[in-house]
Amino acid sequence: MRSLLLCAAGAAAYHLGAWPGHAARAPAARLAAEPQAPADFGLAPGQKFGPTAPAHPADKPWTNLETQEGVQLVKAASNDLRQPLLADMGNDEISVSKDSIHILKHHGSYMQQNRDLKKKADRDKSYQFMLRLKVPCGEVPGELYRELDELSNKYGQGDLRATTRQAFQLHGVLKGNLKTVIATIANVGSNTYGGCGDINRNVMVPAVCFPNNPAYVAAQTYAKAIADLFRPMTEAFNEIWLDGEKAASVEYWQKDIAHFDLDKVRNYDNGNGIITGHPVEPIYGRTY
């Protein structure tokens, strides 16, 4: 998926009028024992390309036409990042299932335990969740930071952690409070989806921006455009965390890219197999 993202980013950036992308790195070697995938694995109705139908077939050691890692099967069966997370969030358990852990990452969260506890029985009672924001360019308005600070004090462990990906993480959230925290972040004009997982994460730029320098301004603008271009298009986020409603506020950085017709760009097919044909996720397909 990383290679696909790099190729797609280059094509999309060229279509937007930016510099073409660099060549993608080859994927790492696959694990030896992988489950067999069904013949139509990863392809939704009408989808042209995917894990079992590459646009450019080639004989390589890592080809995945016949076998898949278990996590790929989980994502393909998730109904566009919904299940089994949606079901798990509706029960009274303090944790989520193994399969939900993989799906939850795409919503911006990891399940963790208190590693300071020595006994396994105690650790098994200490499940908590980390949330990572997706904030292109590392830009965090004051009002958003204040809200994050309050959420951390009320529902987390009382601190915010700055990441090397120019974002913030909030730790120590209990499962019962996870929906409240994620919904609050979304409703104040930010988000967590895409903060983790096998999709495009936070887009970084130089930490300093000189507004009188066109190069720095362009870097900021295109970073935000790329962040939106590669966001998951599924409605799963709203359905799970916002009861199917739209967030009360649009992400604050969207105003800077309103002049791009990103829905058109996202579906632009240049004939090189970057667009999968998936009706919901034209770039990611079923397997993200």
Side-chain angles (χ1 to χ4, degrees):
M1 182 53 69
R2 180 176 297 172
S3 298
L4 173 62
L5 282 174
L6 289 171
C7 292
Y14 186 83
H15 188 59
L16 287 169
W19 295 101
H22 296 291
R25 293 182 296 175
R30 289 164 40 233
L31 297 177
E34 295 175 344
Q36 294 294 316
D40 63 345
F41 168 80
L43 297 182
Q47 184 174 337
K48 297 181 295 182
F49 305 119
T52 55
H56 304 283
D59 292 328
K60 297 182 179 180
W62 46 265
T63 182
N64 57 2
L65 299 183
E66 298 177 357
T67 59
Q68 291 289 328
E69 294 176 311
V71 64
Q72 306 301 336
L73 299 176
V74 171
K75 289 183 293 183
S78 70
N79 188 18
D80 301 331
L81 303 180
R82 289 178 174 85
Q83 296 294 359
L85 180 59
L86 180 59
D88 284 354
M89 289 305 300
N91 64 41
D92 295 328
E93 300 293 330
I94 63 172
S95 62
V96 297
S97 65
K98 180 180 178 181
D99 287 353
S100 282
I101 290 174
H102 295 304
I103 305 304
L104 182 62
K105 294 176 183 178
H106 298 75
H107 293 257
S109 180
Y110 285 96
M111 185 170 74
Q112 301 175 329
Q113 290 177 304
N114 186 346
R115 299 174 184 175
D116 293 332
L117 299 175
K118 304 301 182 182
K119 296 181 179 180
K120 183 180 183 301
D122 293 335
R123 291 196 301 273
D124 288 344
K125 299 177 183 178
S126 70
Y127 284 108
Q128 52 191 266
F129 295 80
M130 177 275 284
L131 282 169
R132 180 184 297 152
L133 269 70
K134 189 171 184 180
V135 285
C137 310
E139 179 185 13
V140 179
E143 54 270 26
L144 172 59
Y145 183 87
R146 182 172 57 248
E147 188 67 55
L148 293 174
D149 188 49
E150 292 180 0
L151 288 172
S152 177
N153 287 328
K154 186 174 182 180
Y155 298 109
Q157 62 185 30
D159 62 4
L160 292 173
R161 298 185 183 182
T163 76
T164 56
R165 204 183 288 268
Q166 295 183 341
F168 280 108
Q169 291 181 180
L170 192 155
H171 288 253
V173 180
L174 300 180
K175 182 191 168 193
N177 297 325
L178 195 58
K179 183 176 180 178
T180 297
V181 176
I182 293 178
T184 301
I185 292 172
N187 285 325
V188 297
S190 188
N191 234 310
T192 62
Y193 66 79
C196 323
D198 301 330
I199 51 180
N200 180 54
R201 301 187 184 186
N202 207 39
V203 182
M204 300 185 293
V205 296
V208 177
C209 180
F210 299 100
N212 295 326
N213 187 317
Y216 281 87
V217 174
Q220 295 267 332
T221 302
Y222 278 98
K224 295 170 185 176
I226 291 295
D228 189 77
L229 181 66
F230 290 113
R231 66 184 170 92
M233 299 303 296
T234 175
E235 290 294 320
F237 186 90
N238 290 353
E239 292 174 13
I240 294 175
W241 311 112
L242 298 171
D243 296 323
E245 302 294 329
K246 292 187 178 297
S249 301
V250 177
E251 289 163 299
Y252 54 87
W253 47 272
Q254 288 284 347
K255 66 182 186 302
D256 298 328
I257 56 172
H259 56 291
F260 290 121
D261 189 353
L262 290 174
D263 286 333
K264 181 178 180 181
V265 175
R266 191 179 292 110
N267 287 278
Y268 173 72
D269 190 348
N270 63 6
N272 288 327
I274 293 173
I275 304 304
T276 67
H278 190 285
V280 177
E281 301 286 6
I283 293 177
Y284 292 116
R286 284 178 64 195
T287 49
Y288 294 87

